[in-house]
Amino acid sequence: MSVHILMYPYPTAGHIIPLLDLAHKLLHLPRPAAAAVAVTVVVTPENLHLLDPFLASSSSLQPLVLPSPEPPRRPTHRRGASSPPSAPSASSTSLLSRWFESHPSPPCAVVSDFFLGWTHRFARDRGVPRVVFSPSGAFALSVTFALWRDLPRSDEGSTVSFARLPNRPGFPWSHLPQVYRIYEAGDPEMERYREDAIGNIESWGIVVNSFDGLERAYLDHLRKDLGHDRVWAVGPILPAEGDSSAGPVNRGGPSSVSASEVLTWLDACPGGSVVYVCFGSRAVLNQRQMDELAAGLERSRVRFILCARQSSRGGHVAASDIGAVPEDFEAQVAGRGLVIRGWAPQVPILRHRAVGTFLTHCGWNSTLEGLSAGAVMLTWPMGAEQFVNAKLLVDELGVGIRVGEGLEKIPKAEELARVLAESLRGDLPQRVRAKEISGTAQDAINGGSSDKDLSDFMRCVDEQRKSKMHTF
């Protein structure tokens, strides 16, 4: 009898893809490290295409298509973006329940995104363990748990300190996740999010897309804080080099430049001479940010790839102020600059020998991809947990250089040009440290700590299945 796992990602590419990569790793665990594994992935119709390369590589992975969630309401009492939907519609819940109850071999565990705290109750009611999948790191997860459990409040100009966390970090109020800041204490919507966060804290276990050599202090903190050892660091969860079965090149959406064209362009560049600039799958620059960025790239004289989003889904920029690449920009940087509009093949780009620096919004997927490639990280966080990740990169790991902070600190073109050029130096301390961490990342997923945690996770799930102990 196989170990059947239901995986429920939050329905955006940045959350779906790492969970699919995790499924791919579980399905290809060596025997007898794991019993036979089957995975069902909940997916919405518009995201079904993301499963195509994974479905082609394994018959043990199947989709469960549910309707898209209702759009979140936009708070009116505070300025800010809409908050992420966490609860599904009643029809989706009913369909999921009927599927679960009628399946000839129902799942023995639910692995779901940390935005979906309600699935803890869903799994508990069916007598199976729920495991939180955190697409963020252990540092950000520790901050999130402390926020929603303790509910600290502050003013815009004040700092919130986390005295119980390692290194006692503190953050300006504006650097905390917006979904926490936009609600007043006691707001019913805030209480719903807190209930989901507590569901994450109370869940049976947590799988973190990180590795011991990167965040050991925060992983140990989570184990102590939660009162159990069921915290598995299994990252970096990335496709292996040369592994086409997981679709490492075509992983997101349409692009103005094919992956082969991008890699051919990079092939013509000297080693470590290119700055890659990308702000993730959701963040979009406003016009002022874009103008300074473009001017800085032009004046720096460095080779670069710029991934420019053309629509805003992340909520940080009003639709009327989406930053367009200046009309004459590409002509001015011809020969040393490549502009990609749409999805960029980020993992192959960062792994290419020509890329030495990554200017990033510090989303966790991008953070791990940059660290794994040994790139110097220029940080420009925009929201969510990105300010936490930037602090980790700059202050704790020593691989990052601060460039900007959302709309608050937009770098001037002259200073940005200087930092871009400086970041490509081969003897830069951040580069030396980045190469060290890259080696540690590779060790973790080549028989090291992350591989051991992944095998231990499957062993624990299988033991729970066999014991039929319904104490979750």
Side-chain angles (χ1 to χ4, degrees):
M1 186 176 179
S2 66
V3 176
H4 183 191
I5 297 174
L6 177 67
M7 289 193 168
Y8 201 146
Y10 179 70
T12 63
H15 288 246
I16 295 171
I17 289 173
L19 196 54
L20 289 173
D21 284 335
L22 174 63
H24 183 76
K25 290 173 75 78
L26 291 176
L27 292 171
H28 291 85
L29 275 176
R31 306 298 187 264
V37 179
V39 175
T40 299
V41 179
V42 176
V43 65
T44 55
E46 64 270 22
N47 290 315
L48 184 58
H49 70 280
L50 296 175
L51 273 67
D52 289 344
F54 298 89
L55 295 173
S57 71
S58 177
S59 61
S60 297
L61 187 146
Q62 296 294 325
L64 173 59
V65 182
L66 295 180
S68 301
E70 293 294 324
R73 74 178 181 91
R74 184 176 295 274
T76 57
H77 56 273
R78 279 190 179 234
R79 64 177 181 85
S82 56
S83 50
S86 56
S89 65
S91 61
S92 291
T93 306
S94 178
L95 287 170
L96 182 61
S97 297
R98 289 203 300 271
W99 173 86
F100 199 103
E101 291 156 9
S102 63
H103 199 284
S105 179
C108 63
V110 174
V111 178
S112 54
D113 192 279
F114 69 177
F115 275 159
L116 307 177
W118 64 269
T119 56
H120 166 60
R121 300 183 294 277
F122 178 90
R124 181 191 59 201
D125 292 345
R126 284 151 186 82
V128 298
R130 185 261 176 144
V131 178
V132 181
F133 175 70
S134 177
S136 295
F139 184 16
L141 193 61
S142 298
V143 170
T144 299
F145 283 176
L147 278 177
W148 288 105
R149 184 162 49 198
D150 301 338
L151 298 179
R153 308 307 292 176
S154 185
D155 299 321
E156 287 292 338
S158 302
T159 296
V160 177
S161 298
F162 296 88
R164 292 191 293 177
L165 269 64
N167 305 314
R168 302 173 64 89
F171 297 92
W173 175 251
S174 61
H175 288 187
L176 297 178
Q178 189 181 52
V179 69
Y180 179 80
R181 291 184 287 112
I182 57 178
Y183 297 110
E184 303 287 355
D187 187 298
E189 194 74 0
M190 184 175 190
E191 291 303 313
R192 183 172 71 83
Y193 279 103
R194 184 169 191 254
E195 184 180 4
D196 282 348
I198 297 302
N200 289 333
I201 294 170
E202 294 177 347
S203 289
W204 181 75
I206 300 175
V207 169
V208 186
N209 187 9
S210 187
F211 54 99
D212 188 67
L214 183 69
E215 296 191 286
R216 180 177 298 126
Y218 296 104
L219 290 162
D220 287 344
H221 167 78
L222 284 171
R223 295 179 181 110
K224 180 180 178 181
D225 192 42
L226 296 172
H228 61 75
D229 290 331
R230 294 183 300 275
V231 177
W232 297 279
V234 301
I237 303 174
L238 298 171
E241 290 195 54
D243 181 5
S244 60
S245 61
V249 173
N250 184 21
R251 291 164 61 80
S255 173
S256 64
V257 185
S258 71
S260 61
E261 289 177 277
V262 175
L263 297 178
T264 298
W265 186 89
L266 284 169
D267 287 342
C269 299
S273 67
V274 176
V275 176
Y276 172 57
V277 182
C278 185
F279 290 85
S281 60
R282 295 176 66 80
V284 177
L285 302 185
N286 68 14
Q287 196 59 59
R288 183 182 162 209
Q289 291 170 317
M290 179 61 78
D291 287 345
E292 294 290 351
L293 174 61
L297 288 167
E298 181 187 348
R299 297 178 191 183
S300 71
R301 310 306 299 170
V302 303
R303 294 177 178 88
F304 67 89
I305 294 176
L306 168 62
C307 180
R309 298 287 168 203
Q310 296 175 295
S311 62
S312 177
R313 294 175 294 166
H316 301 297
V317 176
S320 60
D321 194 26
I322 294 174
V325 176
E327 190 172 332
D328 58 349
F329 177 68
E330 289 176 84
Q332 292 172 339
V333 299
R336 66 176 180 89
L338 179 65
V339 177
I340 302 174
R341 292 173 173 81
W343 188 270
Q346 182 159 291
V347 173
I349 288 173
L350 287 168
R351 285 175 174 170
H352 197 283
R353 59 163 184 81
V355 175
T357 297
F358 184 13
L359 172 51
T360 173
H361 70 310
C362 303
W364 190 245
N365 291 335
S366 292
T367 296
L368 282 181
E369 288 161 7
L371 289 173
S372 297
V376 172
M377 310 288 279
L378 304 184
T379 69
W380 191 347
M382 295 290 174
E385 90 290 14
Q386 296 156 19
F387 292 97
V388 179
N389 298 339
K391 187 176 185 66
L392 180 73
L393 290 170
V394 176
D395 297 338
E396 299 198 24
L397 299 178
V399 299
I401 301 170
R402 286 188 176 87
V403 168
E405 292 180 343
L407 297 171
E408 304 167 25
K409 295 181 181 179
I410 300 174
K412 295 295 184 182
E414 295 83 358
E415 175 63 13
L416 180 57
R418 184 193 65 77
V419 173
L420 289 169
E422 180 80 1
S423 73
L424 291 172
R425 278 179 37 205
D427 62 346
L428 200 69
Q430 288 87 348
R431 184 169 309 286
V432 175
R433 182 65 178 136
K435 295 299 183 185
E436 292 173 353
I437 292 178
S438 174
T440 304
Q442 295 308 312
D443 290 345
I445 56 175
N446 286 290
S449 62
S450 292
D451 281 356
K452 292 173 183 175
D453 268 20
L454 189 66
S455 295
D456 188 64
F457 163 69
M458 283 306 304
R459 179 187 62 80
C460 291
V461 169
D462 197 27
E463 286 181 355
Q464 286 291 75
R465 176 181 66 87
K466 291 174 180 177
S467 69
K468 301 185 184 301
M469 293 176 61
H470 308 306
T471 56
F472 317 115

